[in-house]
PDB file of all heavy atoms in Angstrom:
ATOM      1  N   SER A   1       0.830  -1.217   0.000  1.00 92.00           N
ATOM      2  CA  SER A   1       0.000   0.000   0.000  1.00 92.00           C
ATOM      3  C   SER A   1       0.860   1.261   0.000  1.00 92.00           C
ATOM      4  O   SER A   1       0.508   2.260  -0.626  1.00 92.00           O
ATOM      5  CB  SER A   1      -0.965   0.002   1.191  1.00 92.00           C
ATOM      6  OG  SER A   1      -0.248   0.052   2.404  1.00 92.00           O
ATOM      7  N   LYS A   2       1.991   1.204   0.659  1.00 93.00           N
ATOM      8  CA  LYS A   2       2.901   2.358   0.667  1.00 93.00           C
ATOM      9  C   LYS A   2       3.523   2.555  -0.712  1.00 93.00           C
ATOM     10  O   LYS A   2       3.622   3.675  -1.202  1.00 93.00           O
ATOM     11  CB  LYS A   2       3.994   2.164   1.717  1.00 93.00           C
ATOM     12  CG  LYS A   2       3.455   2.149   3.139  1.00 93.00           C
ATOM     13  CD  LYS A   2       4.527   1.775   4.133  1.00 93.00           C
ATOM     14  CE  LYS A   2       3.935   1.493   5.475  1.00 93.00           C
ATOM     15  NZ  LYS A   2       3.964   2.585   6.380  1.00 93.00           N
ATOM     16  N   VAL A   3       3.924   1.455  -1.343  1.00 94.00           N
ATOM     17  CA  VAL A   3       4.520   1.523  -2.677  1.00 94.00           C
ATOM     18  C   VAL A   3       3.507   2.104  -3.665  1.00 94.00           C
ATOM     19  O   VAL A   3       3.865   2.937  -4.500  1.00 94.00           O
ATOM     20  CB  VAL A   3       5.020   0.140  -3.134  1.00 94.00           C
ATOM     21  CG1 VAL A   3       5.423   0.158  -4.597  1.00 94.00           C
ATOM     22  CG2 VAL A   3       6.194  -0.319  -2.272  1.00 94.00           C
ATOM     23  N   ALA A   4       2.266   1.694  -3.571  1.00 96.00           N
ATOM     24  CA  ALA A   4       1.235   2.190  -4.485  1.00 96.00           C
ATOM     25  C   ALA A   4       1.087   3.708  -4.377  1.00 96.00           C
ATOM     26  O   ALA A   4       1.014   4.412  -5.395  1.00 96.00           O
ATOM     27  CB  ALA A   4      -0.099   1.508  -4.198  1.00 96.00           C
ATOM     28  N   LYS A   5       1.075   4.222  -3.167  1.00 96.00           N
ATOM     29  CA  LYS A   5       0.921   5.670  -2.970  1.00 96.00           C
ATOM     30  C   LYS A   5       2.166   6.433  -3.422  1.00 96.00           C
ATOM     31  O   LYS A   5       2.056   7.485  -4.056  1.00 96.00           O
ATOM     32  CB  LYS A   5       0.605   5.959  -1.506  1.00 96.00           C
ATOM     33  CG  LYS A   5      -0.775   5.488  -1.110  1.00 96.00           C
ATOM     34  CD  LYS A   5      -1.036   5.690   0.359  1.00 96.00           C
ATOM     35  CE  LYS A   5      -2.395   5.133   0.731  1.00 96.00           C
ATOM     36  NZ  LYS A   5      -2.621   5.143   2.167  1.00 96.00           N
ATOM     37  N   VAL A   6       3.342   5.898  -3.119  1.00 95.00           N
ATOM     38  CA  VAL A   6       4.586   6.542  -3.546  1.00 95.00           C
ATOM     39  C   VAL A   6       4.649   6.590  -5.065  1.00 95.00           C
ATOM     40  O   VAL A   6       4.963   7.629  -5.659  1.00 95.00           O
ATOM     41  CB  VAL A   6       5.823   5.806  -2.971  1.00 95.00           C
ATOM     42  CG1 VAL A   6       7.104   6.282  -3.641  1.00 95.00           C
ATOM     43  CG2 VAL A   6       5.913   5.994  -1.469  1.00 95.00           C
ATOM     44  N   CYS A   7       4.323   5.484  -5.717  1.00 95.00           N
ATOM     45  CA  CYS A   7       4.406   5.417  -7.176  1.00 95.00           C
ATOM     46  C   CYS A   7       3.367   6.302  -7.844  1.00 95.00           C
ATOM     47  O   CYS A   7       3.646   6.906  -8.885  1.00 95.00           O
ATOM     48  CB  CYS A   7       4.280   3.973  -7.641  1.00 95.00           C
ATOM     49  SG  CYS A   7       5.723   2.996  -7.185  1.00 95.00           S
ATOM     50  N   SER A   8       2.209   6.416  -7.256  1.00 97.00           N
ATOM     51  CA  SER A   8       1.183   7.310  -7.787  1.00 97.00           C
ATOM     52  C   SER A   8       1.667   8.760  -7.748  1.00 97.00           C
ATOM     53  O   SER A   8       1.526   9.509  -8.725  1.00 97.00           O
ATOM     54  CB  SER A   8      -0.105   7.155  -6.986  1.00 97.00           C
ATOM     55  OG  SER A   8      -1.084   8.033  -7.439  1.00 97.00           O
ATOM     56  N   GLU A   9       2.258   9.147  -6.641  1.00 96.00           N
ATOM     57  CA  GLU A   9       2.782  10.513  -6.507  1.00 96.00           C
ATOM     58  C   GLU A   9       3.975  10.732  -7.435  1.00 96.00           C
ATOM     59  O   GLU A   9       4.103  11.781  -8.060  1.00 96.00           O
ATOM     60  CB  GLU A   9       3.182  10.788  -5.053  1.00 96.00           C
ATOM     61  CG  GLU A   9       3.645  12.191  -4.787  1.00 96.00           C
ATOM     62  CD  GLU A   9       2.569  13.248  -4.949  1.00 96.00           C
ATOM     63  OE1 GLU A   9       1.374  12.916  -5.104  1.00 96.00           O
ATOM     64  OE2 GLU A   9       2.925  14.445  -4.914  1.00 96.00           O
ATOM     65  N   LEU A  10       4.837   9.755  -7.535  1.00 93.00           N
ATOM     66  CA  LEU A  10       5.989   9.838  -8.426  1.00 93.00           C
ATOM     67  C   LEU A  10       5.535   9.990  -9.876  1.00 93.00           C
ATOM     68  O   LEU A  10       6.067  10.808 -10.619  1.00 93.00           O
ATOM     69  CB  LEU A  10       6.843   8.583  -8.264  1.00 93.00           C
ATOM     70  CG  LEU A  10       8.183   8.537  -8.953  1.00 93.00           C
ATOM     71  CD1 LEU A  10       9.085   9.643  -8.435  1.00 93.00           C
ATOM     72  CD2 LEU A  10       8.830   7.184  -8.723  1.00 93.00           C
ATOM     73  N   SER A  11       4.527   9.253 -10.250  1.00 95.00           N
ATOM     74  CA  SER A  11       3.970   9.344 -11.601  1.00 95.00           C
ATOM     75  C   SER A  11       3.423  10.741 -11.871  1.00 95.00           C
ATOM     76  O   SER A  11       3.656  11.318 -12.930  1.00 95.00           O
ATOM     77  CB  SER A  11       2.862   8.294 -11.751  1.00 95.00           C
ATOM     78  OG  SER A  11       2.281   8.368 -13.013  1.00 95.00           O
ATOM     79  N   ARG A  12       2.731  11.295 -10.889  1.00 96.00           N
ATOM     80  CA  ARG A  12       2.135  12.622 -11.030  1.00 96.00           C
ATOM     81  C   ARG A  12       3.193  13.721 -11.090  1.00 96.00           C
ATOM     82  O   ARG A  12       3.161  14.577 -11.973  1.00 96.00           O
ATOM     83  CB  ARG A  12       1.177  12.894  -9.868  1.00 96.00           C
ATOM     84  CG  ARG A  12       0.411  14.193  -9.979  1.00 96.00           C
ATOM     85  CD  ARG A  12      -0.436  14.456  -8.743  1.00 96.00           C
ATOM     86  NE  ARG A  12       0.359  14.819  -7.581  1.00 96.00           N
ATOM     87  CZ  ARG A  12       0.912  16.006  -7.383  1.00 96.00           C
ATOM     88  NH1 ARG A  12       0.768  16.962  -8.276  1.00 96.00           N
ATOM     89  NH2 ARG A  12       1.607  16.256  -6.293  1.00 96.00           N
ATOM     90  N   THR A  13       4.157  13.682 -10.187  1.00 94.00           N
ATOM     91  CA  THR A  13       5.125  14.782 -10.089  1.00 94.00           C
ATOM     92  C   THR A  13       6.216  14.736 -11.152  1.00 94.00           C
ATOM     93  O   THR A  13       6.759  15.779 -11.511  1.00 94.00           O
ATOM     94  CB  THR A  13       5.789  14.817  -8.702  1.00 94.00           C
ATOM     95  OG1 THR A  13       6.445  13.569  -8.468  1.00 94.00           O
ATOM     96  CG2 THR A  13       4.774  15.102  -7.613  1.00 94.00           C
ATOM     97  N   GLU A  14       6.554  13.542 -11.634  1.00 93.00           N
ATOM     98  CA  GLU A  14       7.624  13.432 -12.621  1.00 93.00           C
ATOM     99  C   GLU A  14       7.099  13.118 -14.016  1.00 93.00           C
ATOM    100  O   GLU A  14       7.882  12.834 -14.925  1.00 93.00           O
ATOM    101  CB  GLU A  14       8.643  12.385 -12.177  1.00 93.00           C
ATOM    102  CG  GLU A  14       9.372  12.794 -10.909  1.00 93.00           C
ATOM    103  CD  GLU A  14      10.588  11.943 -10.619  1.00 93.00           C
ATOM    104  OE1 GLU A  14      11.029  11.193 -11.509  1.00 93.00           O
ATOM    105  OE2 GLU A  14      11.093  12.051  -9.500  1.00 93.00           O
ATOM    106  N   ASN A  15       5.771  13.166 -14.153  1.00 96.00           N
ATOM    107  CA  ASN A  15       5.135  12.922 -15.444  1.00 96.00           C
ATOM    108  C   ASN A  15       5.591  11.585 -16.056  1.00 96.00           C
ATOM    109  O   ASN A  15       5.941  11.517 -17.234  1.00 96.00           O
ATOM    110  CB  ASN A  15       5.397  14.076 -16.412  1.00 96.00           C
ATOM    111  CG  ASN A  15       4.420  14.084 -17.558  1.00 96.00           C
ATOM    112  OD1 ASN A  15       3.297  13.599 -17.442  1.00 96.00           O
ATOM    113  ND2 ASN A  15       4.850  14.613 -18.691  1.00 96.00           N
ATOM    114  N   LEU A  16       5.597  10.540 -15.224  1.00 95.00           N
ATOM    115  CA  LEU A  16       5.955   9.193 -15.653  1.00 95.00           C
ATOM    116  C   LEU A  16       4.698   8.347 -15.762  1.00 95.00           C
ATOM    117  O   LEU A  16       3.706   8.623 -15.085  1.00 95.00           O
ATOM    118  CB  LEU A  16       6.887   8.524 -14.625  1.00 95.00           C
ATOM    119  CG  LEU A  16       8.241   9.151 -14.367  1.00 95.00           C
ATOM    120  CD1 LEU A  16       8.911   8.472 -13.180  1.00 95.00           C
ATOM    121  CD2 LEU A  16       9.106   9.022 -15.599  1.00 95.00           C
ATOM    122  N   SER A  17       4.767   7.312 -16.555  1.00 97.00           N
ATOM    123  CA  SER A  17       3.661   6.353 -16.542  1.00 97.00           C
ATOM    124  C   SER A  17       3.716   5.628 -15.198  1.00 97.00           C
ATOM    125  O   SER A  17       4.760   5.603 -14.524  1.00 97.00           O
ATOM    126  CB  SER A  17       3.809   5.343 -17.682  1.00 97.00           C
ATOM    127  OG  SER A  17       4.885   4.460 -17.419  1.00 97.00           O
ATOM    128  N   LEU A  18       2.610   5.055 -14.807  1.00 96.00           N
ATOM    129  CA  LEU A  18       2.590   4.332 -13.539  1.00 96.00           C
ATOM    130  C   LEU A  18       3.579   3.165 -13.578  1.00 96.00           C
ATOM    131  O   LEU A  18       4.284   2.922 -12.597  1.00 96.00           O
ATOM    132  CB  LEU A  18       1.176   3.836 -13.220  1.00 96.00           C
ATOM    133  CG  LEU A  18       0.955   3.309 -11.812  1.00 96.00           C
ATOM    134  CD1 LEU A  18       1.404   4.296 -10.763  1.00 96.00           C
ATOM    135  CD2 LEU A  18      -0.508   2.950 -11.615  1.00 96.00           C
ATOM    136  N   ASN A  19       3.663   2.477 -14.702  1.00 96.00           N
ATOM    137  CA  ASN A  19       4.630   1.376 -14.828  1.00 96.00           C
ATOM    138  C   ASN A  19       6.058   1.867 -14.640  1.00 96.00           C
ATOM    139  O   ASN A  19       6.858   1.220 -13.956  1.00 96.00           O
ATOM    140  CB  ASN A  19       4.493   0.679 -16.179  1.00 96.00           C
ATOM    141  CG  ASN A  19       3.280  -0.197 -16.251  1.00 96.00           C
ATOM    142  OD1 ASN A  19       2.707  -0.580 -15.242  1.00 96.00           O
ATOM    143  ND2 ASN A  19       2.876  -0.521 -17.467  1.00 96.00           N
ATOM    144  N   ASP A  20       6.398   3.003 -15.244  1.00 96.00           N
ATOM    145  CA  ASP A  20       7.747   3.547 -15.103  1.00 96.00           C
ATOM    146  C   ASP A  20       8.035   3.969 -13.664  1.00 96.00           C
ATOM    147  O   ASP A  20       9.151   3.796 -13.173  1.00 96.00           O
ATOM    148  CB  ASP A  20       7.971   4.723 -16.046  1.00 96.00           C
ATOM    149  CG  ASP A  20       8.116   4.289 -17.495  1.00 96.00           C
ATOM    150  OD1 ASP A  20       8.360   3.083 -17.740  1.00 96.00           O
ATOM    151  OD2 ASP A  20       7.970   5.152 -18.379  1.00 96.00           O
ATOM    152  N   SER A  21       7.046   4.530 -13.000  1.00 94.00           N
ATOM    153  CA  SER A  21       7.260   4.945 -11.611  1.00 94.00           C
ATOM    154  C   SER A  21       7.430   3.724 -10.701  1.00 94.00           C
ATOM    155  O   SER A  21       8.245   3.757  -9.773  1.00 94.00           O
ATOM    156  CB  SER A  21       6.131   5.853 -11.121  1.00 94.00           C
ATOM    157  OG  SER A  21       4.911   5.160 -11.057  1.00 94.00           O
ATOM    158  N   ILE A  22       6.712   2.652 -10.990  1.00 94.00           N
ATOM    159  CA  ILE A  22       6.867   1.414 -10.213  1.00 94.00           C
ATOM    160  C   ILE A  22       8.264   0.851 -10.411  1.00 94.00           C
ATOM    161  O   ILE A  22       8.935   0.471  -9.442  1.00 94.00           O
ATOM    162  CB  ILE A  22       5.778   0.392 -10.597  1.00 94.00           C
ATOM    163  CG1 ILE A  22       4.408   0.872 -10.102  1.00 94.00           C
ATOM    164  CG2 ILE A  22       6.102  -0.993 -10.045  1.00 94.00           C
ATOM    165  CD1 ILE A  22       3.232   0.092 -10.651  1.00 94.00           C
ATOM    166  N   LEU A  23       8.712   0.798 -11.655  1.00 94.00           N
ATOM    167  CA  LEU A  23      10.070   0.306 -11.932  1.00 94.00           C
ATOM    168  C   LEU A  23      11.125   1.164 -11.244  1.00 94.00           C
ATOM    169  O   LEU A  23      12.093   0.648 -10.675  1.00 94.00           O
ATOM    170  CB  LEU A  23      10.326   0.273 -13.438  1.00 94.00           C
ATOM    171  CG  LEU A  23       9.628  -0.838 -14.204  1.00 94.00           C
ATOM    172  CD1 LEU A  23       9.813  -0.643 -15.710  1.00 94.00           C
ATOM    173  CD2 LEU A  23      10.143  -2.198 -13.776  1.00 94.00           C
ATOM    174  N   LYS A  24      10.934   2.477 -11.302  1.00 90.00           N
ATOM    175  CA  LYS A  24      11.894   3.386 -10.665  1.00 90.00           C
ATOM    176  C   LYS A  24      11.973   3.117  -9.169  1.00 90.00           C
ATOM    177  O   LYS A  24      13.061   3.053  -8.594  1.00 90.00           O
ATOM    178  CB  LYS A  24      11.505   4.839 -10.933  1.00 90.00           C
ATOM    179  CG  LYS A  24      12.487   5.831 -10.352  1.00 90.00           C
ATOM    180  CD  LYS A  24      12.170   7.254 -10.747  1.00 90.00           C
ATOM    181  CE  LYS A  24      13.213   8.197 -10.186  1.00 90.00           C
ATOM    182  NZ  LYS A  24      13.089   9.542 -10.717  1.00 90.00           N
ATOM    183  N   PHE A  25      10.815   2.961  -8.531  1.00 91.00           N
ATOM    184  CA  PHE A  25      10.805   2.742  -7.087  1.00 91.00           C
ATOM    185  C   PHE A  25      11.396   1.385  -6.720  1.00 91.00           C
ATOM    186  O   PHE A  25      12.226   1.290  -5.819  1.00 91.00           O
ATOM    187  CB  PHE A  25       9.399   2.884  -6.508  1.00 91.00           C
ATOM    188  CG  PHE A  25       9.395   2.825  -5.009  1.00 91.00           C
ATOM    189  CD1 PHE A  25       9.915   3.860  -4.263  1.00 91.00           C
ATOM    190  CD2 PHE A  25       8.910   1.715  -4.341  1.00 91.00           C
ATOM    191  CE1 PHE A  25       9.938   3.808  -2.870  1.00 91.00           C
ATOM    192  CE2 PHE A  25       8.926   1.653  -2.960  1.00 91.00           C
ATOM    193  CZ  PHE A  25       9.438   2.696  -2.222  1.00 91.00           C
ATOM    194  N   TYR A  26      10.970   0.330  -7.404  1.00 92.00           N
ATOM    195  CA  TYR A  26      11.475  -1.006  -7.061  1.00 92.00           C
ATOM    196  C   TYR A  26      12.959  -1.177  -7.353  1.00 92.00           C
ATOM    197  O   TYR A  26      13.594  -2.076  -6.799  1.00 92.00           O
ATOM    198  CB  TYR A  26      10.661  -2.094  -7.755  1.00 92.00           C
ATOM    199  CG  TYR A  26       9.398  -2.449  -6.990  1.00 92.00           C
ATOM    200  CD1 TYR A  26       8.145  -2.126  -7.492  1.00 92.00           C
ATOM    201  CD2 TYR A  26       9.463  -3.098  -5.766  1.00 92.00           C
ATOM    202  CE1 TYR A  26       6.991  -2.445  -6.796  1.00 92.00           C
ATOM    203  CE2 TYR A  26       8.318  -3.417  -5.052  1.00 92.00           C
ATOM    204  CZ  TYR A  26       7.087  -3.093  -5.575  1.00 92.00           C
ATOM    205  OH  TYR A  26       5.956  -3.406  -4.875  1.00 92.00           O
ATOM    206  N   ASN A  27      13.538  -0.329  -8.177  1.00 91.00           N
ATOM    207  CA  ASN A  27      14.972  -0.389  -8.466  1.00 91.00           C
ATOM    208  C   ASN A  27      15.769   0.646  -7.675  1.00 91.00           C
ATOM    209  O   ASN A  27      16.938   0.888  -7.987  1.00 91.00           O
ATOM    210  CB  ASN A  27      15.214  -0.213  -9.965  1.00 91.00           C
ATOM    211  CG  ASN A  27      14.765  -1.426 -10.741  1.00 91.00           C
ATOM    212  OD1 ASN A  27      15.161  -2.540 -10.428  1.00 91.00           O
ATOM    213  ND2 ASN A  27      13.932  -1.225 -11.735  1.00 91.00           N
ATOM    214  N   SER A  28      15.160   1.236  -6.674  1.00 88.00           N
ATOM    215  CA  SER A  28      15.817   2.306  -5.911  1.00 88.00           C
ATOM    216  C   SER A  28      16.425   1.794  -4.605  1.00 88.00           C
ATOM    217  O   SER A  28      16.048   0.749  -4.074  1.00 88.00           O
ATOM    218  CB  SER A  28      14.815   3.411  -5.583  1.00 88.00           C
ATOM    219  OG  SER A  28      13.885   2.949  -4.610  1.00 88.00           O
ATOM    220  N   ALA A  29      17.354   2.571  -4.095  1.00 85.00           N
ATOM    221  CA  ALA A  29      17.928   2.298  -2.773  1.00 85.00           C
ATOM    222  C   ALA A  29      16.866   2.435  -1.687  1.00 85.00           C
ATOM    223  O   ALA A  29      16.925   1.741  -0.669  1.00 85.00           O
ATOM    224  CB  ALA A  29      19.092   3.245  -2.503  1.00 85.00           C
ATOM    225  N   ALA A  30      15.888   3.308  -1.921  1.00 87.00           N
ATOM    226  CA  ALA A  30      14.804   3.487  -0.948  1.00 87.00           C
ATOM    227  C   ALA A  30      14.027   2.187  -0.780  1.00 87.00           C
ATOM    228  O   ALA A  30      13.721   1.776   0.347  1.00 87.00           O
ATOM    229  CB  ALA A  30      13.871   4.612  -1.390  1.00 87.00           C
ATOM    230  N   TYR A  31      13.714   1.511  -1.895  1.00 90.00           N
ATOM    231  CA  TYR A  31      12.987   0.236  -1.797  1.00 90.00           C
ATOM    232  C   TYR A  31      13.859  -0.835  -1.162  1.00 90.00           C
ATOM    233  O   TYR A  31      13.388  -1.617  -0.338  1.00 90.00           O
ATOM    234  CB  TYR A  31      12.476  -0.242  -3.154  1.00 90.00           C
ATOM    235  CG  TYR A  31      11.809  -1.590  -3.019  1.00 90.00           C
ATOM    236  CD1 TYR A  31      10.551  -1.689  -2.437  1.00 90.00           C
ATOM    237  CD2 TYR A  31      12.462  -2.748  -3.395  1.00 90.00           C
ATOM    238  CE1 TYR A  31       9.956  -2.916  -2.252  1.00 90.00           C
ATOM    239  CE2 TYR A  31      11.873  -3.979  -3.213  1.00 90.00           C
ATOM    240  CZ  TYR A  31      10.609  -4.063  -2.644  1.00 90.00           C
ATOM    241  OH  TYR A  31      10.030  -5.287  -2.449  1.00 90.00           O
ATOM    242  N   GLU A  32      15.112  -0.863  -1.535  1.00 91.00           N
ATOM    243  CA  GLU A  32      16.018  -1.854  -0.950  1.00 91.00           C
ATOM    244  C   GLU A  32      16.057  -1.710   0.575  1.00 91.00           C
ATOM    245  O   GLU A  32      16.007  -2.692   1.310  1.00 91.00           O
ATOM    246  CB  GLU A  32      17.419  -1.682  -1.530  1.00 91.00           C
ATOM    247  CG  GLU A  32      18.415  -2.707  -1.048  1.00 91.00           C
ATOM    248  CD  GLU A  32      19.791  -2.496  -1.631  1.00 91.00           C
ATOM    249  OE1 GLU A  32      19.894  -2.015  -2.768  1.00 91.00           O
ATOM    250  OE2 GLU A  32      20.770  -2.827  -0.922  1.00 91.00           O
ATOM    251  N   THR A  33      16.111  -0.479   1.041  1.00 91.00           N
ATOM    252  CA  THR A  33      16.122  -0.217   2.476  1.00 91.00           C
ATOM    253  C   THR A  33      14.771  -0.566   3.100  1.00 91.00           C
ATOM    254  O   THR A  33      14.711  -1.178   4.165  1.00 91.00           O
ATOM    255  CB  THR A  33      16.468   1.261   2.748  1.00 91.00           C
ATOM    256  OG1 THR A  33      17.706   1.562   2.104  1.00 91.00           O
ATOM    257  CG2 THR A  33      16.584   1.548   4.228  1.00 91.00           C
ATOM    258  N   LEU A  34      13.693  -0.185   2.432  1.00 92.00           N
ATOM    259  CA  LEU A  34      12.343  -0.467   2.918  1.00 92.00           C
ATOM    260  C   LEU A  34      12.114  -1.960   3.097  1.00 92.00           C
ATOM    261  O   LEU A  34      11.456  -2.385   4.051  1.00 92.00           O
ATOM    262  CB  LEU A  34      11.309   0.103   1.940  1.00 92.00           C
ATOM    263  CG  LEU A  34       9.839  -0.216   2.175  1.00 92.00           C
ATOM    264  CD1 LEU A  34       9.364   0.378   3.504  1.00 92.00           C
ATOM    265  CD2 LEU A  34       9.000   0.309   1.029  1.00 92.00           C
ATOM    266  N   SER A  35      12.645  -2.768   2.219  1.00 93.00           N
ATOM    267  CA  SER A  35      12.396  -4.207   2.257  1.00 93.00           C
ATOM    268  C   SER A  35      13.195  -4.938   3.343  1.00 93.00           C
ATOM    269  O   SER A  35      12.956  -6.113   3.601  1.00 93.00           O
ATOM    270  CB  SER A  35      12.670  -4.837   0.889  1.00 93.00           C
ATOM    271  OG  SER A  35      14.017  -4.708   0.546  1.00 93.00           O
ATOM    272  N   ARG A  36      14.120  -4.235   3.988  1.00 94.00           N
ATOM    273  CA  ARG A  36      14.851  -4.822   5.118  1.00 94.00           C
ATOM    274  C   ARG A  36      14.129  -4.482   6.411  1.00 94.00           C
ATOM    275  O   ARG A  36      14.037  -3.318   6.800  1.00 94.00           O
ATOM    276  CB  ARG A  36      16.281  -4.289   5.174  1.00 94.00           C
ATOM    277  CG  ARG A  36      17.205  -4.886   4.155  1.00 94.00           C
ATOM    278  CD  ARG A  36      18.669  -4.592   4.467  1.00 94.00           C
ATOM    279  NE  ARG A  36      18.932  -3.252   4.940  1.00 94.00           N
ATOM    280  CZ  ARG A  36      19.254  -2.222   4.167  1.00 94.00           C
ATOM    281  NH1 ARG A  36      19.359  -2.362   2.877  1.00 94.00           N
ATOM    282  NH2 ARG A  36      19.481  -1.044   4.702  1.00 94.00           N
TER     283      ARG A  36
END
């Protein structure tokens, strides 16, 4: 649920598709840290 909200905001603010924002988040250091 947190990832969904982050990616929605990322898509809106950076004018990315939702798929691109999901990929960006899941490939980030922030996600790596979150998953620990």
Side-chain angles (χ1 to χ4, degrees):
S1 64
K2 294 172 191 264
V3 170
K5 291 176 183 172
V6 168
C7 291
S8 178
E9 184 66 10
L10 188 61
S11 179
R12 185 185 72 76
T13 59
E14 295 193 13
N15 199 27
L16 298 171
S17 71
L18 192 53
N19 285 341
D20 287 343
S21 66
I22 290 169
L23 286 172
K24 182 174 182 170
F25 187 71
Y26 276 111
N27 289 307
S28 71
Y31 177 74
E32 183 181 328
T33 305
L34 173 64
S35 64
R36 284 194 319 268

